[in-house]
Amino acid sequence: MRFKLFLVCALACGFMAYVLANENFSVEEVEFEDQIMNAVPVEQPKAQPKPKPQIEFVDVPKATPDPKKVVVVNPSPSPKPSVLTTQKPAKNVGVGGQRMIPVVHVDSRGTDDVLTVAGLKPQAMSGALIMPNDYLGELYDVDNSGYNWDPNNNVAPPTSPSTAAGGYTITAARLAELRQTFMYWYFDKDMFGGRADYQFDIHASMTQLHKNLNFQLPFYGFRFNYTRLSLNGYLEFSDPPEYLTYPLVFPIKDWPAKRDPSFMGIFFSKCRVGRIYPSDIDQRTPGVYFRVERDLMGRTDRFGVEVRERTMWDIRQGVVGADTFIPKHVVIATWKNVSFAGGIDNSLFTTNTFQMVLATDEVYTYIIFNYAILNWLSHTEAGGDTTQGAGGVPAFVGFNAGNGTQAYEYKPYSQNMVIRDLAIRGWANGFPGRHIFRVDEQILIGSCNKDIDAALLPLTFAPESGNMLGGQVVNITGPCFDPNIRVTCHFDTESVLGTYVDKNRVICVQPYLKAEGYIRFQISVGTQRFKWRGKYFVETPAAATEKIFFATDDVHKKNPAEIRITWDRYNMTSNLNANVMISLWGYRETKIEPQLEYIDVIEASYSNTGSYVITPSNYLNRNNINRDMQFGFLQINLTQPEQYSGLSISPILWSRPIPLGWYMAPQWERQHGKRWPRALCDNWIRSDRFLRNFAADLPLCPCTLDQAVLDKGRFRPDRECDKDSNPSCLRHRGAIHCVVSGTPVAQGAEQQCCYDRYGFLMLTYDQMWGSRPRRVHNLGKMPWNEASKVPSLSMWFHDMRPFYSCCYWQEEQAVGCETYRFERRPSQDCVAYQAPGIAGVFGDPHFVTFDGQAYTFNGLGEFVLARSVDESNRFEIQGRFQQLPNNYYGEVKATQLTAMAMRGNTTTTIEVRLRPLHARWRYRLDVLADGRRVYFDRESLKFQHFDGVTVYTPTYLLNQSQVVVQFDAGIGVEVVENEGFMTGRVFLPWKFINKTAGLFGNWSFNKLDDFMLPNGQVATLNLNDLRSIHTNFGLKWMLTDREVPGVGAALFTREFGRMSSYYANATFQPNYVLDPADFLPANRTYDLERAEELCGECMQCQYDYAMTLNRDLAHFTKNYYDTIVNMQSENSKPVISCGVLQTPRFGRKLSFDFMPGAKVSFECNEGFILVGDQRRECLANGLWNVPEYGYTECLREVYYTRRVAFIAIGIIFLVICPLMLCIVCGVYRYRQKQLKEDPQWQMPMLPRSRASSARNLRTLNYDDDSDTDASTLKKSRSYDKVYRTNEPLPGKPQIDFPAKKWDLDENDEDVTSSEGSENRNSSKLAKDISYINPNVTHVTGEKPKQSGRRSLRSPSGTELDQQGEHDDPNHHPDEDEDFDEADVHGGTIHPAGYHQPLSPEEADQLHRQQYSPTFSGLDSRTSGASSINYTPQQQAAVQNRFGGVPVLPTNTQYYSGTPQGVANTTPLRTAPTPLTQDSGLPSPPLATSPTPSVQKSTEV
C-alpha cells in the first residue's frame, strides 16, 4: 500500500514538473555572431526619403528631404518639442571600409495610404504572428556600444533613463520605421543576462503580480499609483470576486457584499502560458511581459525619446481630440503565446498574442490594444472545448471602474463569437488589429467599430463643442469608412458632407448653426439611416472659447489708430509656413431671417505667425453696400489648406462680437456727417420704440451684492463682469460684479444687475455704466432661426449695438445716451425685490425647512425633499440617502446625502451625484442631464442650458465641487461637496408660498405646518423624538419607481439594473437619540469632549462627530448649518430701499447709495447753477426726504435768470390778481347793495390818472380856424423841461389872446407833477393854470416858470374852478357827449354861433401856441364844475366828443374886447391876472391845433 502511495506521489510530481517545464519551454537562443553571418557588405547610401501625403489634422511629421539636414518637428505646443535629426550610423566597417548593413525583409500590414508614414506601408496580417523573415537580432542599427536598435530585437537596450542636455534626437525616417512596426517593444533578456521584461513569477500557480507605478494613473474616474498584472488578460486595481458567473456582467450588482474589481481587460479569460514550436520565427519566451517607462517628457536618452515620440504620434493620429497629448509615462504589457485554461493534449500550442500599451500625462489616459494572434476564444469554465478553446462564452473585452460604479464592454466583440475580428479590424494608425481608447474619465473609442445589430451606436468625435458661427473641424470615429461611400453629418437641422481621411476617421466642418446648447449630432454612411448618434454642444458667439485675442480695448473705440490681434497659430496648423486670410463679417436683422454677411478682406494672405496689426486708416475709402452693419466678427482661415493637410477644408477662427466703428466710421461720416453716432442712435431709438415693452417681465434686481449672490434661483454670474473670472467689466466701469437672469423669461428678455465696490446696485439713472436690462437673452429664444431670437447675435443687435452709438461713442449726457439710459434701457430699482425662501439638508442628515424648522431624519433610500402642490407650477426635488461607512467601532447607524434629482414642469431632469471616494481626484460631483453625464471643465462649458433649465459651476472651480441648477420658474438648487460630504439647498420665489410639500415642509412662514404629509394633513411631532419623526413623517415621503399619489415617482437615472429598491430600506433603524451624552458609552468620554471642542453648541455637529468620529463631517456639518441659518436670516430681513434718485441733467451725484441712512449730495457742471436741495437723505421708511427747496436741477445761467424773472412775475400775478378780484367783487357787492337801497345811486368816480389826462388832452377842442394837422402831436413828452407858450414865430405878427382859466375838477389830483400831490386824498379844489405871455419874456428877459399843475388861483385867492361852478347852472354833463371833433378843426366860435375864420396873423400866432397836456376829457367828464361858456348868450360851450372843453389862449379878447366882426357885447368876466406854471409841464397847445394829438411842442 505504501508503495502504491509512493508511486502515485511520484507520478504526480513528475506530471507537475512536466507541466512547469512546458510552460517555460523555449528554444536555445542564437549567438550574436551567428546573427550577422548572412550580412552583405554594401556602400553606405544617402537616405532617400519617399514623398508622402500628410494629414494636417493628425499632425504627421514629414520625412527629411536631406539626411544631413536637421528637421524640427513641432506638431503642437509642448514643454519640450522634439527635434528630429538624421542619426549617423555606427562605424561598423567591413571589408574595404564598407559598413555592414543587414538585409531586412519586413512583412507589411495592410493600411490606408492616407495614414502611412514616410512611405512605409504595413500590409495585411496573416493568421500567424507576423515577424521579420530573417531571424531576430540581425545587424540593423548598431550603436557604439554594439546594441542593435532593431524594433524587433528581443534584448533590452543597455541605456538607463537620462535627462541630460544634448541627448538623442530622432529623425523622421526613424520615427516612421518605428511606427510601421505593429507590436511595441517587449524583451525577454538584457545585455547583462537578465530576463528584462519577462515576468517569470507569473504562472498557473500565481496568476497575478503586484506592480507599483510610482505615478498617478487616471482610469475611469479613479486614480491609481499601482496595478496588478494578471495572467488572465487584464490589469486590475482591486480584487476580483471569488467566483465568476458567465457571461460576465460588470459592475457587480451585489457590491459591496461581493467584490467588484476595477480592471482594464484586453482579453479577460482564464489563461495559462502556452508553448511555441521550434520553427516559429519569434522565439521569445511565451508568457507575460511588463515594462514601465517613466518621466518621458524630460527624457533625452534614445530609448526614452523613441518611446515618447512613437506613442505620442500613434495616439494623436489614432484618437480624435488628442492633438496636444504628450505622454509622460508609458506602460507596456504583453501576453505572448498564452493558451486557455483547462485544455488538454496539444492545446498549449493553441495560443493568443496581444499587447496593451498605456500612456498617460496623469490627466488623460489612452490605451492601445494590439491583437497579433487570436487562435482561441474561451476557456473550459466558460464552456469552451478542451482542445481548441472554441465555443462557450468568449473572453470579456472592456473596462470596469469598480466599486459598483460603471463599466464599459467593447461591443460587438466582447463575449461574442466575432471576437476573432479584433485581430482584423480596428484600423487604428492604419493597422488591422489595433484599437485605441481614452479611459481617464469616460471610455471613448478611437477606432472604427463593427455594426452587427443595426443599433443606435455612440459616436466618438472631437472636439465635442464649437462656435455657433461654424467652421469647427470635427473629427469623427464610429463606423469603418470607405472612401467611395458618402458620409453625411447632420448638425441639428443642418447637413454637411464629410471628408474621408481613413478607414477610422471622417472630418466634418460644422456649419453656421442658429442654436445653442446640446443638439443632435448624427452621421449616415451611404444610404443607411442616421444610426450613429451623439450630442454636440453649440457655444454662443459671446460665450464661445476665445480664439482671437485683442491686446487692448482699441477695437471698441470709434477711431483707434491701430488694433492688435493674436491667435494660437497651432489652432490653424502646425505648419508655420502656411498663409492665412483675415476677413471681416457683420450681422444685422432687417427681415425675419437673420443676416450674417461678409464685409471685407482685412488681409488676403499673411503668414501664420499668430499676430497681426490692423490699421483702420487703410479702409478710409471703402464704400460697402452693407455699411448699416454696426457690429460683427473677425475671421481667420487658411488660404490654401490642401497644401498643408491634403484636404480642401480649413478650420476657422472667430473673434468675439466687436463693434465696427473702427472700420465703418468714415463711411458713416460721409453718410450722416460728423455726428454720425447721434444719427445711428436716433435711428435705433425710432425703431426700438416700435417694439414691445419687455421690462415688466423681468425679475427685479436685488438691492445689494450679497442678496444677488444668494438668489441662486434667478440670477447667475455675468461672463462680462465676474468678480471671480473677468473683473475687467469693460461696459460697466466701476462695477465689481454683475449677475444676469439664468434663463430667458417668457418673452426671451434678460435682466442684468451690476454692483459697485460697496456692493450697491448701479443704475443707469446715475451713470451710463449702470445695470441695463436686455431685450434678448444671450441664450436667445426658440425658434432660434428668426430675428430677435438668435443666441448672442440678437442680443448684440438690440442691446449692445445701441450702447456704443448712443453712449460709448458720445458723451454721457448726450440726448441719445440719456434716452437710452432713462427711456429705452433704464435700470430697474429694487424697491419691490423679494428675497427667495431657502431650505437645506446636510450632515447625516439634518434638515432646515423653508420656515426655519430644524430637525434630524436618518432615512435610507430616496425621498422627496420638496415638490409643488400647484399643478400649474410643478417642480420636484428628490434626495438619495445612503448609509455612512463604518467607523472605528463598527457600523454607523446613520445616513448621508449622496445624490439629488430635480425637474421642473416640462424641463430636462438634472441629477447631481457624489462620486466615490477614490474617484474624486478630478471631479467631485457627477452631473447627469436626462441620464447623460455632462462636464464643466472648460470655459465655454461653464454655463450649460437645457430645456427649461440652466446648470453651471462657479468659474473659479474646475473640480465640479459646486453645481447650481436654475429652472425657468425661478427655482434654484445648489449642491456643494467638501471632503466627500454633500449639502443641498433649495431656493424658491414667493409665488410658491403655501404651495410646497416634502421633507422641507410647507413654506407658509409658520413652523406649525412644516410636517405636512402627502395626504395634506399635518403631523403633530416632537422635535426631540427622532423615532416619531422617522416613522410618522420621514418614511411617508419615500420614493419608489412607480407613481405614488402625493409623492410621485423617483427621477434618478437607473444604471446597471439598480432600482429604487436597491437603495431603499424602510426597516433601517438609525440612532434615535440626539444628545451624544445619552448614546455614547461611559468609556467614551474623550469622544464627547472632542465633540464639544470641535462643535461648540452646535448639536448637529456634535451628533455627527459622535456617530462617525469623522472630524471632517463634523466640521462641514457646522459650516453648512451656519451657512443656511445666515442665508435665511439675511433673506428674512425686509428689503427697504428708497429707489431711484434721479441725477440732475448737467450734474452729478456724489454717491449712488439708495439704502436707508444714505445721504446723497449733488453738484452741477461748470456754467450751471444748482436749483433745489443740494442734499437728499434716504429715510428709514424707504422714502427720500421731502425737498425743502424743490427738486434738484442744474440750469444754465441764462435759464436760471429767466426762471427767477418768471417766478417774480408769477408771484406778482398770484398776489395782485386775487387782490383785484377781491376788490372788484367787493365793489360789485357794495354797488348792488347801494342800488338796492337807492336805484339812482351812482358809483363815485375814481381819481383821475395821468393816462386819462393825456387821453383828454389829445381831444381838446381848438378854435375852428386852426389848420394844424392833428398827427403832428408827439405821443410822449418830457416833463422835466421848461415850456414857454405863445412864443412868436420868426417873421410872423404877434397876436395877443385873452387869458382863459382851466376848469378842472376840484377832486382832480396832481398826477403829472414831478413833485406829485402832497395829499392825494385831499379835497382841495383844482387851481387854474395861466401861461406867461411870451411878450413879457422879451421885455423883462425873465424865464417864466410853471409853478404847479393845479396851483392856479384868482387874484383874490379863490379857486377859479369854484368860481366857475356857478356861471352856467343849466349845464349838464351829458351835453359833452354831443361834441364833434369836426367842429373844432380851426378858427373861433362867433358869439352868434357861426364859425369865423382866422386871419393869417392869427393863424400864425396860433401855430406858436401849445396846449397843456394836463387837461383831459376825463377831467370834464368827472368834474363837478360847469363848462365855461364863451358866448354872450350864455350858451353852453361846444365840447369835444370826450366831454372836454377847449383850452383858451392867454389873451383877453373874450374878456375885455369883442372879436372883429362881432357885435359889442358885455364880457363874461374880467380877465384874470396871467398865471404862471413851474417847470415840469409842457407848453400850451397851439391855437391852430384842432386836437392835442396833433400839436407840436417846442423845447427851449
Side-chain angles (χ1 to χ4, degrees):
M1 186 66 181
R2 294 180 180 178
F3 176 76
K4 291 182 180 179
L5 292 175
F6 175 78
L7 182 60
V8 170
C9 292
L11 291 175
C13 292
F15 178 76
M16 292 180 61
Y18 173 77
V19 171
L20 292 176
N22 286 334
E23 286 184 350
N24 295 279
F25 176 82
S26 63
V27 298
E28 183 180 358
E29 287 102 10
V30 184
E31 297 294 334
F32 178 78
E33 291 80 3
D34 295 336
Q35 295 177 9
I36 61 172
M37 65 179 184
N38 292 328
V40 294
V42 296
E43 295 288 340
Q44 180 178 343
K46 288 188 177 181
Q48 298 294 333
K50 299 179 182 179
K52 63 183 184 306
Q54 185 182 22
I55 303 302
E56 180 58 39
F57 300 104
V58 295
D59 293 335
V60 178
K62 293 183 178 180
T64 55
D66 187 351
K68 295 182 179 180
K69 182 178 179 180
V70 177
V71 179
V72 179
V73 175
N74 192 7
S76 66
S78 61
K80 291 186 179 182
S82 301
V83 179
L84 307 184
T85 61
T86 301
Q87 181 75 15
K88 278 190 174 184
K91 295 182 179 180
N92 296 320
V93 181
V95 180
Q98 296 174 334
R99 185 176 186 273
M100 300 297 294
I101 299 297
V103 179
V104 181
H105 306 283
V106 180
D107 289 344
S108 299
R109 299 171 62 88
T111 184
D112 199 297
D113 292 343
V114 179
L115 296 181
T116 55
V117 180
L120 302 174
K121 300 198 297 182
Q123 295 180 355
M125 181 177 63
S126 64
L129 179 62
I130 300 300
M131 298 299 297
N133 288 337
D134 297 319
Y135 49 84
L136 290 174
E138 184 181 14
L139 187 60
Y140 179 78
D141 184 5
V142 181
D143 60 10
N144 294 330
S145 64
Y147 180 74
N148 182 10
W149 288 96
D150 182 358
N152 292 312
N153 193 355
N154 67 324
V155 180
T159 57
S160 59
S162 173
T163 58
Y168 172 78
T169 54
I170 190 172
T171 64
R174 173 62 176 172
L175 178 61
E177 288 178 299
L178 291 175
R179 295 192 59 205
Q180 63 90 30
T181 305
F182 178 67
M183 299 288 284
Y184 274 64
W185 303 270
Y186 61 100
F187 310 102
D188 62 351
K189 63 175 62 176
D190 56 31
M191 299 185 66
F192 307 101
R195 304 300 298 268
D197 303 337
Y198 184 76
Q199 305 299 310
F200 54 86
D201 291 331
I202 295 180
H203 44 75
S205 300
M206 189 173 64
T207 59
Q208 67 179 21
L209 194 64
H210 183 88
K211 295 290 184 180
N212 288 319
L213 299 177
N214 294 328
F215 59 83
Q216 296 292 343
L217 176 67
F219 169 63
Y220 223 160
F222 294 88
R223 190 164 58 171
F224 305 97
N225 60 2
Y226 68 93
T227 188
R228 295 172 185 169
L229 178 65
S230 174
L231 173 64
N232 296 327
Y234 58 86
L235 294 180
E236 70 174 7
F237 305 95
S238 61
D239 294 331
E242 296 180 2
Y243 302 99
L244 295 174
T245 303
Y246 299 94
L248 300 177
V249 177
F250 297 102
I252 303 298
K253 297 180 181 180
D254 297 332
W255 182 88
K258 189 176 180 180
R259 292 195 296 262
D260 183 31
S262 175
F263 66 88
M264 305 173 181
I266 185 173
F267 201 85
F268 194 124
S269 184
K270 288 189 175 181
C271 306
R272 61 175 179 167
V273 178
R275 296 181 181 179
I276 60 174
Y277 292 103
S279 60
D280 287 348
I281 299 174
D282 186 359
Q283 291 294 314
R284 279 177 284 196
T285 306
V288 182
Y289 294 75
F290 185 83
R291 185 174 190 86
V292 179
E293 295 292 335
R294 303 181 181 90
D295 303 319
L296 294 175
M297 286 185 177
R299 295 267 292 270
T300 58
D301 60 282
R302 177 167 181 172
F303 188 70
V305 172
E306 290 186 349
V307 171
R308 180 186 69 229
E309 295 299 318
R310 177 181 180 179
T311 308
M312 180 180 71
W313 287 107
D314 281 349
I315 292 174
R316 287 188 178 185
Q317 186 182 21
V319 183
V320 295
D323 300 332
T324 60
F325 176 74
I326 300 175
K328 185 178 181 181
H329 313 287
V330 172
V331 177
I332 306 173
T334 307
W335 289 260
K336 181 182 182 298
N337 297 112
V338 292
S339 182
F340 58 93
I344 61 174
D345 298 336
N346 291 331
S347 62
L348 290 176
F349 293 94
T350 304
T351 61
N352 294 345
T353 299
F354 42 86
Q355 184 182 67
M356 179 192 300
V357 181
L358 282 80
T360 181
D361 60 359
E362 297 188 283
V363 176
Y364 302 100
T365 302
Y366 296 90
I367 294 183
I368 301 175
F369 287 173
N370 292 324
Y371 294 95
I373 299 175
L374 293 180
N375 290 323
W376 61 270
L377 305 182
S378 62
H379 57 92
T380 55
E381 284 188 19
D385 61 26
T386 59
T387 57
Q388 299 295 325
V393 179
F396 178 94
V397 180
F399 311 90
N400 186 38
N403 294 339
T405 53
Q406 52 188 337
Y408 176 87
E409 187 172 5
Y410 190 23
K411 294 290 186 178
Y413 308 105
S414 176
Q415 302 190 101
N416 198 307
M417 288 302 172
V418 296
I419 194 172
R420 295 179 184 273
D421 293 342
L422 285 172
I424 60 174
R425 300 185 67 88
W427 300 101
N429 305 129
F431 288 107
R434 177 170 290 182
H435 306 256
I436 305 182
F437 305 85
R438 175 183 165 186
V439 298
D440 49 271
E441 177 60 31
Q442 298 184 90
I443 307 301
L444 301 177
I445 185 173
S447 52
C448 69
N449 202 348
K450 181 177 182 180
D451 176 23
I452 60 173
D453 53 3
L456 298 179
L457 302 175
L459 277 175
T460 300
F461 53 91
E464 298 178 348
S465 64
N467 195 317
M468 186 188 79
L469 301 179
Q472 178 67 59
V473 175
V474 182
N475 293 273
I476 305 167
T477 296
C480 296
F481 302 106
D482 190 305
N484 299 318
I485 299 178
R486 182 186 65 180
V487 177
T488 304
C489 298
H490 192 71
F491 294 85
D492 195 34
T493 59
E494 305 291 334
S495 295
V496 295
L497 293 179
T499 301
Y500 176 85
V501 176
D502 56 47
K503 272 184 170 294
N504 212 30
R505 179 179 303 190
V506 162
I507 290 177
C508 287
V509 179
Q510 176 211 319
Y512 170 40
L513 301 172
K514 303 179 187 68
E516 61 85 20
Y518 286 97
I519 62 171
R520 296 173 302 167
F521 178 53
Q522 310 167 80
I523 68 169
S524 68
V525 180
T527 59
Q528 297 178 355
R529 60 188 177 91
F530 292 91
K531 60 184 179 181
W532 297 84
R533 300 183 178 183
K535 289 286 188 178
Y536 185 81
F537 188 81
V538 180
E539 306 166 357
T540 61
T545 303
E546 194 170 5
K547 294 186 177 180
I548 299 179
F549 305 91
F550 296 93
T552 62
D553 295 335
D554 291 339
V555 70
H556 299 276
K557 300 177 181 178
K558 64 179 181 179
N559 189 23
E562 63 179 20
I563 300 172
R564 296 181 176 271
I565 62 173
T566 58
W567 66 93
D568 186 354
R569 54 188 178 177
Y570 294 104
N571 283 336
M572 301 299 301
T573 175
S574 60
N575 191 326
L576 303 184
N577 295 323
N579 289 335
V580 298
M581 180 178 70
I582 306 174
S583 56
L584 183 65
W585 292 67
Y587 179 83
R588 62 184 171 187
E589 293 181 357
T590 57
K591 49 187 179 180
I592 295 180
E593 183 180 358
Q595 298 167 276
L596 177 66
E597 298 181 1
Y598 162 81
I599 296 179
D600 196 0
V601 173
I602 302 300
E603 184 64 53
S605 182
Y606 185 75
S607 179
N608 183 28
T609 60
S611 64
Y612 182 75
V613 178
I614 300 175
T615 306
S617 58
N618 295 337
Y619 315 103
L620 293 176
N621 299 324
R622 295 290 200 275
N623 189 21
N624 301 93
I625 299 177
N626 46 11
R627 59 177 172 269
D628 59 333
M629 294 184 171
Q630 299 181 30
F631 81 96
F633 307 86
L634 288 177
Q635 182 196 86
I636 301 178
N637 62 283
L638 294 173
T639 55
Q640 297 177 329
E642 61 277 359
Q643 295 182 1
Y644 315 109
S645 64
L647 303 174
S648 59
I649 57 177
S650 168
I652 295 177
L653 306 183
W654 291 95
S655 71
R656 294 277 179 86
I658 57 173
L660 299 183
W662 59 272
Y663 178 85
M664 293 288 188
Q667 301 182 48
W668 290 337
E669 184 174 347
R670 290 192 293 268
Q671 182 180 3
H672 302 292
K674 291 187 176 180
R675 294 188 177 182
W676 55 264
R678 178 176 179 179
L680 297 179
C681 179
D682 293 343
N683 293 338
W684 172 80
I685 291 174
R686 282 193 294 268
S687 62
D688 194 67
R689 283 174 176 162
F690 284 101
L691 303 179
R692 61 173 180 83
N693 184 10
F694 63 91
D697 302 332
L698 297 175
L700 295 178
C701 285
C703 295
T704 63
L705 178 58
D706 293 337
Q707 293 175 339
V709 172
L710 291 181
D711 197 341
K712 297 183 183 297
R714 289 173 286 193
F715 298 99
R716 64 168 178 82
D718 187 357
R719 295 173 182 266
E720 296 182 356
C721 184
D722 185 4
K723 59 185 176 64
D724 298 318
S725 63
N726 183 21
S728 61
C729 303
L730 174 65
R731 285 176 282 269
H732 300 280
R733 295 178 184 173
I736 62 170
H737 188 67
C738 293
V739 295
V740 295
S741 50
T743 57
V745 297
Q747 300 298 327
E750 179 182 36
Q751 180 65 280
Q752 184 194 47
C753 313
C754 295
Y755 299 87
D756 59 18
R757 61 172 58 92
Y758 303 107
F760 295 118
L761 181 65
M762 298 173 60
L763 305 175
T764 55
Y765 295 99
D766 300 328
Q767 52 187 322
M768 60 182 275
W769 311 108
S771 313
R772 296 187 297 270
R774 297 165 180 171
R775 181 177 296 279
V776 183
H777 199 284
N778 180 63
L779 298 176
K781 183 69 176 176
M782 285 286 290
W784 292 303
N785 58 351
E786 294 182 3
S788 300
K789 298 180 181 180
V790 184
S792 286
L793 302 185
S794 293
M795 185 265 289
W796 261 81
F797 182 80
H798 287 283
D799 301 293
M800 293 299 183
R801 173 179 63 101
F803 171 75
Y804 286 94
S805 59
C806 293
C807 292
Y808 198 85
W809 293 337
Q810 295 193 65
E811 296 180 357
E812 183 174 357
Q813 294 174 343
V815 176
C817 186
E818 293 191 344
T819 304
Y820 176 83
R821 293 164 51 200
F822 301 153
E823 176 191 341
R824 306 315 306 162
R825 297 296 183 269
S827 301
Q828 292 180 312
D829 59 26
C830 59
V831 173
Y833 172 74
Q834 296 171 334
I838 303 178
V841 57
F842 53 91
D844 69 348
H846 308 283
F847 295 82
V848 177
T849 66
F850 290 107
D851 294 331
Q853 185 71 269
Y855 69 94
T856 300
F857 166 64
N858 279 285
L860 183 61
E862 297 170 348
F863 296 86
V864 175
L865 298 179
R867 71 190 310 263
S868 173
V869 297
D870 183 9
E871 293 298 327
S872 60
N873 288 301
R874 293 183 302 169
F875 74 89
E876 294 180 86
I877 301 173
Q878 303 172 357
R880 176 186 294 162
F881 301 92
Q882 295 177 267
Q883 190 170 359
L884 283 163
N886 296 345
N887 63 10
Y888 176 78
Y889 296 99
E891 183 183 12
V892 176
K893 292 290 187 176
T895 60
Q896 67 167 339
L897 179 69
T898 58
M900 291 183 70
M902 59 217 72
R903 183 179 63 186
N905 240 349
T906 58
T907 68
T908 300
T909 299
I910 303 297
E911 182 179 348
V912 183
R913 296 178 181 174
L914 181 67
R915 291 169 68 96
L917 176 62
H918 298 290
R920 300 177 197 141
W921 64 273
R922 185 175 182 185
Y923 304 115
R924 300 299 185 94
L925 298 171
D926 277 331
V927 181
L928 292 85
D930 279 343
R932 179 180 177 273
R933 281 178 171 81
V934 293
Y935 298 90
F936 304 84
D937 52 352
R938 287 183 294 174
E939 179 63 27
S940 59
L941 300 178
K942 283 293 183 181
F943 300 88
Q944 300 184 23
H945 182 242
F946 306 90
D947 292 338
V949 59
T950 298
V951 185
Y952 74 91
T953 60
T955 52
Y956 58 88
L957 291 178
L958 298 177
N959 60 1
Q960 292 183 193
S961 61
Q962 182 178 356
V963 178
V964 179
V965 183
Q966 295 180 330
F967 293 92
D968 52 8
I971 304 167
V973 179
E974 181 185 28
V975 182
V976 181
E977 182 274 345
N978 281 290
E979 297 298 332
F981 303 106
M982 183 171 153
T983 181
R985 307 183 187 113
V986 179
F987 304 80
L988 293 182
W990 279 35
K991 64 182 178 181
F992 289 101
I993 294 177
N994 279 323
K995 297 180 180 179
T996 62
L999 295 180
F1000 286 158
N1002 178 33
W1003 184 23
S1004 62
F1005 301 100
N1006 182 10
K1007 296 181 180 180
L1008 297 179
D1009 63 356
D1010 279 352
F1011 298 104
M1012 181 181 292
L1013 301 176
N1015 58 8
Q1017 298 179 357
V1018 178
T1020 302
L1021 303 174
N1022 182 3
L1023 296 179
N1024 295 322
D1025 187 357
L1026 300 187
R1027 183 184 299 273
S1028 175
I1029 294 176
H1030 183 92
T1031 305
N1032 300 327
F1033 174 68
L1035 292 181
K1036 304 296 183 181
W1037 291 104
M1038 179 177 284
L1039 289 162
T1040 62
D1041 289 318
R1042 60 181 178 85
E1043 186 79 19
V1044 177
V1047 178
L1051 301 176
F1052 294 93
T1053 301
R1054 302 305 178 191
E1055 293 180 327
F1056 315 114
R1058 294 176 179 173
M1059 309 304 288
S1060 61
S1061 58
Y1062 175 84
Y1063 303 97
N1065 184 2
T1067 62
F1068 175 73
Q1069 296 295 318
N1071 175 34
Y1072 294 124
V1073 181
L1074 186 60
D1075 190 353
D1078 297 335
F1079 66 80
L1080 286 180
N1083 60 350
R1084 293 179 58 184
T1085 57
Y1086 173 79
D1087 295 335
L1088 183 62
E1089 294 174 357
R1090 184 63 172 164
E1092 294 177 353
E1093 178 185 351
L1094 291 174
C1095 304
E1097 297 180 355
C1098 181
M1099 293 302 298
Q1100 291 87 350
C1101 174
Q1102 293 182 16
Y1103 178 86
D1104 290 359
Y1105 181 79
M1107 289 294 298
T1108 64
L1109 301 181
N1110 190 312
R1111 180 175 179 176
D1112 291 334
L1113 175 59
H1115 171 75
F1116 288 111
T1117 295
K1118 186 176 186 301
N1119 178 272
Y1120 293 151
Y1121 177 71
D1122 293 342
T1123 300
I1124 194 169
V1125 169
N1126 293 336
M1127 285 182 174
Q1128 289 186 336
S1129 176
E1130 180 71 21
N1131 286 357
S1132 63
K1133 297 177 181 178
V1135 179
I1136 301 177
S1137 168
C1138 290
V1140 175
L1141 181 62
Q1142 189 167 349
T1143 303
R1145 190 180 180 189
F1146 307 115
R1148 56 191 174 274
K1149 294 194 304 187
L1150 299 186
S1151 66
F1152 302 131
D1153 191 5
F1154 46 83
M1155 304 301 288
K1159 296 180 180 180
V1160 180
S1161 299
F1162 302 93
E1163 287 184 355
C1164 291
N1165 298 342
E1166 185 178 357
F1168 293 85
I1169 298 176
L1170 189 144
V1171 178
D1173 284 12
Q1174 294 186 358
R1175 188 176 70 173
R1176 300 285 300 279
E1177 182 178 358
C1178 181
L1179 304 179
N1181 59 0
L1183 299 175
W1184 293 102
N1185 67 315
V1186 179
E1188 299 179 6
Y1189 305 103
Y1191 291 98
T1192 308
E1193 293 182 274
C1194 291
L1195 299 178
R1196 298 182 186 273
E1197 294 181 359
V1198 59
Y1199 295 147
Y1200 176 76
T1201 305
R1202 291 180 183 177
R1203 168 174 285 197
V1204 172
F1206 290 148
I1207 290 175
I1209 295 173
I1211 292 175
I1212 292 174
F1213 274 102
L1214 290 176
V1215 173
I1216 293 179
C1217 289
L1219 182 61
M1220 292 294 296
L1221 183 61
C1222 292
I1223 294 174
V1224 170
C1225 292
V1227 171
Y1228 177 76
R1229 295 294 301 273
Y1230 176 74
R1231 181 175 179 275
Q1232 293 296 326
K1233 180 179 179 181
Q1234 295 298 327
L1235 288 175
K1236 185 176 182 181
E1237 296 177 357
D1238 183 8
Q1240 301 300 325
W1241 182 85
Q1242 293 184 359
M1243 176 69 70
M1245 303 304 295
L1246 295 175
R1248 290 169 300 185
S1249 64
R1250 177 175 179 178
S1252 62
S1253 299
R1255 286 194 300 269
N1256 287 342
L1257 287 176
R1258 292 186 179 94
T1259 59
L1260 291 177
N1261 187 13
Y1262 299 101
D1263 295 335
D1264 292 341
D1265 57 351
S1266 174
D1267 57 358
T1268 304
D1269 187 2
S1271 64
T1272 60
L1273 180 64
K1274 291 185 178 180
K1275 296 181 180 180
S1276 62
R1277 298 180 177 87
S1278 177
Y1279 294 96
D1280 57 352
K1281 300 292 190 297
V1282 176
Y1283 296 90
R1284 297 179 182 276
T1285 61
N1286 300 332
E1287 295 184 2
L1289 296 176
K1292 300 294 183 179
Q1294 297 183 4
I1295 301 175
D1296 295 333
F1297 295 93
K1300 181 68 176 178
K1301 75 170 185 176
W1302 290 80
D1303 184 16
L1304 302 176
D1305 186 5
E1306 63 179 353
N1307 294 326
D1308 191 12
E1309 68 176 298
D1310 187 2
V1311 295
T1312 61
S1313 173
S1314 60
E1315 296 86 353
S1317 174
E1318 295 179 359
N1319 187 5
R1320 295 183 179 270
N1321 297 325
S1322 132
S1323 59
K1324 293 182 180 181
L1325 297 177
K1327 283 72 176 177
D1328 290 335
I1329 300 175
S1330 178
Y1331 291 90
I1332 301 175
N1333 194 319
N1335 296 331
V1336 180
T1337 304
H1338 293 298
V1339 175
T1340 63
E1342 295 180 3
K1343 182 177 181 180
K1345 296 182 179 179
Q1346 188 173 355
S1347 60
R1349 179 179 172 223
R1350 304 191 185 276
S1351 61
L1352 302 179
R1353 296 177 180 272
S1354 64
S1356 62
T1358 62
E1359 300 286 345
L1360 293 181
D1361 288 343
Q1362 187 177 0
Q1363 296 174 3
E1365 283 182 358
H1366 311 287
D1367 291 345
D1368 189 6
N1370 299 323
H1371 173 73
H1372 194 276
D1374 296 339
E1375 295 178 0
D1376 297 339
E1377 301 298 327
D1378 299 331
F1379 175 75
D1380 190 358
E1381 191 176 354
D1383 297 336
V1384 292
H1385 69 280
T1388 60
I1389 303 300
H1390 194 274
Y1394 66 88
H1395 183 79
Q1396 180 182 354
L1398 296 176
S1399 64
E1401 293 79 9
E1402 292 175 346
D1404 182 67
Q1405 182 65 26
L1406 289 175
H1407 278 290
R1408 297 174 179 271
Q1409 298 176 358
Q1410 296 180 355
Y1411 280 82
S1412 171
T1414 60
F1415 192 87
S1416 65
L1418 183 61
D1419 295 330
S1420 62
R1421 290 196 300 270
T1422 61
S1423 176
S1426 302
S1427 300
I1428 301 176
N1429 191 354
Y1430 298 97
T1431 63
Q1433 292 82 8
Q1434 300 297 317
Q1435 297 176 356
V1438 180
Q1439 297 181 350
N1440 59 31
R1441 61 182 174 178
F1442 300 102
V1445 298
V1447 179
L1448 299 182
T1450 57
N1451 55 43
T1452 59
Q1453 78 176 55
Y1454 288 100
Y1455 288 87
S1456 58
T1458 303
Q1460 297 178 1
V1462 180
N1464 292 331
T1465 58
T1466 304
L1468 297 175
R1469 66 180 70 174
T1470 305
T1473 304
L1475 303 178
T1476 63
Q1477 183 175 356
D1478 294 336
S1479 62
L1481 292 176
S1483 301
L1486 294 174
T1488 58
S1489 299
T1491 61
S1493 62
V1494 296
Q1495 62 184 340
K1496 300 178 180 179
S1497 63
T1498 303
E1499 291 185 0
V1500 178

